[in-house]
């Protein structure tokens, strides 16, 4: 049986290496030398991201009656970003070093490394020659249409939220909603971050999942607390240890220009406690600004003539930050039968593959036939994998590393009594079940609540 290695420290390097080795995530444009901090997702990365997105959408939209979905354009009218405050205020202070030619965030020099002496911070060596700080807008600019004049200037959205606000009236009228109600959106956002890094934690292109919840102003504080709790519970339900999560409320100076209150749900990443998701009370800032800039009134008018501009409570997160947190929390190393194994103890609903179907001896035609038939049956309902290559131990190890929670093994006994072995990824316990009941067994086990064996 397995002996957990208490000292196994989970570093970002281990996660990066596993993701690459097993085809979750690759550095992008690698054959051209790479483009720093951009990534491409391989098969298992795509499947895992799909699961995260599906679970979020299920919890935020499908399992509720008060939230609807939207999918707005990435390139919006440039005035949207004036109204939102992004043209003026979505900036970070930047300094250049004339010596090493690197750029740094002026407010985070203590976390950056000098380009020539990485043991020092920028500005700490006599060679460092830093410019004065200047404000750098994080929005990516582009031009719309064939003419590159000022009128054609547009931006790639830095958040999905504004696509929701500008559709407020459409949803209010056409989806016949009244506050409290929400609009949810999932899609790519783009930020020209000065210092991207830490694998997928801070990237320039990421997939945001945001929900804007419109409420009567007097109820905003209550809903703000409600969404902090709801989102925290979602993480624990999807396998993160509670002890690795905390809520940190921003003080007034730290808050964004639109915010009346913001809390970060933080995770203890290998880089320390850092923002996983933000929950903000945006007040009536966005609807008021878009009313002003577009001259379209964005307000709620009740059946008795009462009218007000709703406040907005927003939980906002990226799939990338969730993916890194889930991988870090799931990663484990242990010794089994005197050999080391690496295992991803992912929640079964998040794991890219739900079950592996393995004939013990791939070359045995009877075993191979039964394994193939089981695979064909199960793949109609779940993402499953059939693998008849290499020794069984190596196949188990491969599945452990991609986090497959269950393995069905077809062996000699199957040929006699039509039972198969089920191997549990975490406990390594094995049980025998009838081959004909494997589909129902898998359906059933995937429905059950799951808790990480790594503790609280
Ligand atoms: N609409 C509000 C908003 O965009 P934010 O705190 O700037 O607020 C929300 O971003 C979430 O988006 C963050 O909590 C984080 O999960 C994710 N996020 C932001 N910048 C990111 C980046 N450069 N790379 C990956 N995820 C990012």
């Amino acid at each position: 049986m397995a002996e957990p290695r208490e000292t196994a420290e989970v570093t970002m390097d281990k996660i990066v290496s596993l993701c690459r080795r097993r085809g979750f995530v690759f550095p992008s444009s690698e054959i051209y030398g790479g483009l720093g901090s951009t990534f491409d997702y391989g098969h298992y990365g795509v499947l895992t991201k799909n699961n995260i997105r599906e679970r979020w959408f299920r919890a935020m939209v499908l399992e509720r009656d008060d939230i609807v979905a939207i999918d707005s354009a990435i390139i919006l009218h440039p005035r949207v970003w004036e109204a939102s405050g992004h043209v003026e205020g979505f900036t970070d202070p930047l300094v250049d070093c004339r010596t090493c030619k690197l750029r740094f965030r002026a407010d985070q020099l203590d976390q950056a490394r000098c380009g020539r002496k990485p043991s020092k911070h920028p500005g700490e060596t006599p060679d460092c020659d830093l410019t004065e700080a200047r404000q750098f807008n994080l929005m990516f600019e582009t031009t719309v249409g064939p003419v590159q004049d000022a009128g054609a200037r547009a931006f790639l959205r830095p958040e999905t939220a504004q696509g929701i606000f500008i559709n407020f009236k459409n949803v209010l009228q056409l989806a016949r909603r009244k506050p409290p109600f929400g609009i949810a959106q999932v899609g790519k956002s783009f930020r020209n971050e000065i210092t991207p890094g830490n694998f997928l934690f801070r990237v320039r292109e990421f997939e945001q999942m945001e929900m804007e919840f419109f409420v009567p102003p007097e109820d905003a504080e209550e809903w703000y607390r409600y969404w902090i709790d709801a989102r925290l519970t979602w993480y624990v339900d999807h396998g993160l240890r509670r002890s690795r999560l905390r809520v940190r409320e921003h003080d007034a100076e730290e808050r964004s220009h639109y915010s009346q209150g913001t809390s970060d749900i933080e995770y203890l990443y290998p880089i320390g406690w850092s923002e996983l998701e933000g929950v903000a009370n945006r007040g009536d800032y966005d609807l008021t600004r878009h009313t002003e800039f577009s001259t379209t009134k964005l307000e709620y008018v009740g059946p008795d003539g009462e009218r007000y501009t709703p406040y907005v409570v927003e939980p906002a997160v990226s799939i990338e930050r969730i993916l890194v947190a889930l991988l870090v929390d799931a990663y484990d190393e242990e010794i089994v039968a005197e050999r080391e194994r690496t295992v991803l103890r992912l929640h079964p609903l998040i794991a890219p593959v739900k079950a592996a179907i393995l004939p013990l001896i791939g070359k045995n035609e009877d075993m191979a036939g039964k394994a193939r038939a089981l695979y064909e049956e199960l793949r109609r309902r779940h993402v499953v994998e059939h693998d008849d290559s290499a020794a069984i131990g190596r196949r188990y190890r491969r599945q452990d590393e991609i986090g497959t929670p269950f393995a069905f093994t077809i062996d000699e006994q199957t040929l006699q009594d039509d039972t198969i072995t089920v191997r549990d990824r975490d406990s390594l316990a094995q049980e025998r079940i009838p081959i004909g009941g494997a589909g129902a067994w898998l359906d059933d086990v995937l429905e059950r609540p799951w808790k990480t064996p790594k503790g609280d």
Side-chain angles (χ1 to χ4, degrees), residues 86 90 158-162 165 189-191 193 196-197 199-210 212 235 250 256 258 262 264-265 269 275-280 282 314-322:
H86 283 82
F90 194 54
E159 62 172 13
T160 65
Q162 299 303 323
F165 299 129
S189 290
F190 304 83
R191 296 183 188 180
E193 300 280 3
F199 192 34
L200 301 168
F201 181 83
R202 191 177 305 284
V203 277
R204 294 196 170 106
E205 177 183 335
F206 50 97
E207 196 170 337
Q208 272 192 319
M209 305 195 289
E210 299 197 286
E212 309 302 320
Y235 288 111
H250 290 200
S256 307
Y258 52 73
T262 298
D264 287 346
I265 297 179
Y269 292 95
E275 177 181 351
L276 166 60
E277 169 159 355
V279 182
R282 298 179 73 124
E314 169 197 74
V317 66
S318 69
I319 294 188
E320 285 75 3
R321 294 239 174 133
I322 298 182

Side-chain angles (χ1 to χ4, degrees), residues 351-368:
V353 176
K354 307 302 174 212
I357 293 123
L358 313 172
L360 186 63
I361 304 165
K363 290 201 174 82
N364 178 311
E365 276 184 21
D366 294 333
M367 282 186 206

Side-chain angles (χ1 to χ4, degrees), residues 300-372:
Y300 170 70
V301 183
D304 305 327
E306 50 157 345
R307 57 173 68 217
Y308 62 87
T309 306
Y311 273 29
V312 174
V313 177
E314 169 197 74
V317 66
S318 69
I319 294 188
E320 285 75 3
R321 294 239 174 133
I322 298 182
L323 178 62
V324 178
L326 289 172
L327 291 172
V328 166
D329 223 70
Y331 186 97
D332 224 345
E333 292 167 350
E334 61 185 8
I335 308 289
V336 181
E338 292 175 15
R339 287 194 57 194
E340 190 170 305
R341 82 161 176 155
T342 300
V343 53
L344 281 185
R345 303 187 194 280
L346 288 169
H347 190 298
L349 295 176
I350 297 292
V353 176
K354 307 302 174 212
I357 293 123
L358 313 172
L360 186 63
I361 304 165
K363 290 201 174 82
N364 178 311
E365 276 184 21
D366 294 333
M367 282 186 206
K370 283 194 184 283
R372 197 84 215 170

Side-chain angles (χ1 to χ4, degrees), residues 71-298:
D71 186 7
S72 71
I74 285 177
I75 299 175
L76 302 175
H77 194 291
R79 292 275 286 165
V80 169
W81 306 109
E82 287 171 33
S84 69
H86 283 82
V87 169
E88 203 185 323
F90 194 54
T91 55
D92 277 339
L94 171 146
V95 292
D96 289 295
C97 176
R98 295 187 191 92
T99 313
C100 68
K101 311 285 181 228
L102 290 181
R103 294 191 146 172
F104 306 101
R105 268 183 67 163
D107 55 341
Q108 291 179 358
L109 289 179
D110 55 344
Q111 294 160 38
R113 288 169 183 209
C114 166
R116 298 180 128 203
K117 292 222 165 82
S119 58
K120 304 260 183 198
H121 301 303
E124 279 184 3
T125 81
D127 288 347
C128 296
D129 185 7
L130 301 182
T131 60
E132 286 293 309
R134 63 189 166 88
Q135 291 301 324
F136 174 77
N137 197 298
L138 301 186
M139 283 196 292
F140 277 104
E141 266 185 52
T142 186
T143 43
V144 175
V147 185
Q148 289 206 350
D149 62 17
R153 190 168 84 126
F155 303 98
L156 302 188
R157 67 181 175 200
E159 62 172 13
T160 65
Q162 299 303 323
I164 295 178
F165 299 129
I166 60 174
N167 277 290
F168 173 77
K169 204 171 166 201
N170 287 336
V171 175
L172 201 62
Q173 287 174 348
L174 302 174
R176 288 176 291 113
R177 301 285 150 173
K178 62 184 275 246
F181 78 97
I183 308 178
Q185 167 151 242
V186 180
K188 284 256 171 138
S189 290
F190 304 83
R191 296 183 188 180
N192 199 0
E193 300 280 3
I194 300 171
T195 46
N198 292 312
F199 192 34
L200 301 168
F201 181 83
R202 191 177 305 284
V203 277
R204 294 196 170 106
E205 177 183 335
F206 50 97
E207 196 170 337
Q208 272 192 319
M209 305 195 289
E210 299 197 286
M211 195 278 293
E212 309 302 320
F213 204 69
F214 300 93
V215 300
E218 62 278 14
D219 298 343
E221 179 63 23
E222 200 180 318
W223 280 110
Y224 170 59
R225 302 280 156 209
Y226 167 90
W227 280 111
I228 294 170
D229 282 354
R231 294 301 303 145
L232 207 49
T233 304
W234 187 89
Y235 288 111
V236 175
D237 288 348
H238 288 83
L240 290 189
R241 285 168 288 175
R242 182 63 186 84
S243 60
R244 303 286 165 130
L245 289 161
R246 71 177 188 194
V247 176
R248 189 180 65 80
E249 188 132 20
H250 290 200
D251 55 34
E253 277 128 59
E254 200 187 342
R255 279 186 221 144
S256 307
H257 55 280
Y258 52 73
S259 167
Q260 308 226 343
T262 298
S263 289
D264 287 346
I265 297 179
E266 294 189 331
Y267 177 74
L268 187 53
Y269 292 95
I271 52 172
W273 287 103
S274 310
E275 177 181 351
L276 166 60
E277 169 159 355
V279 182
N281 172 1
R282 298 179 73 124
D284 61 2
Y285 177 84
D286 302 276
L287 293 183
T288 305
R289 292 277 290 190
H290 286 301
T291 297
E292 206 180 295
F293 278 66
S294 69
T295 67
T296 299
K297 262 200 154 43
L298 301 177

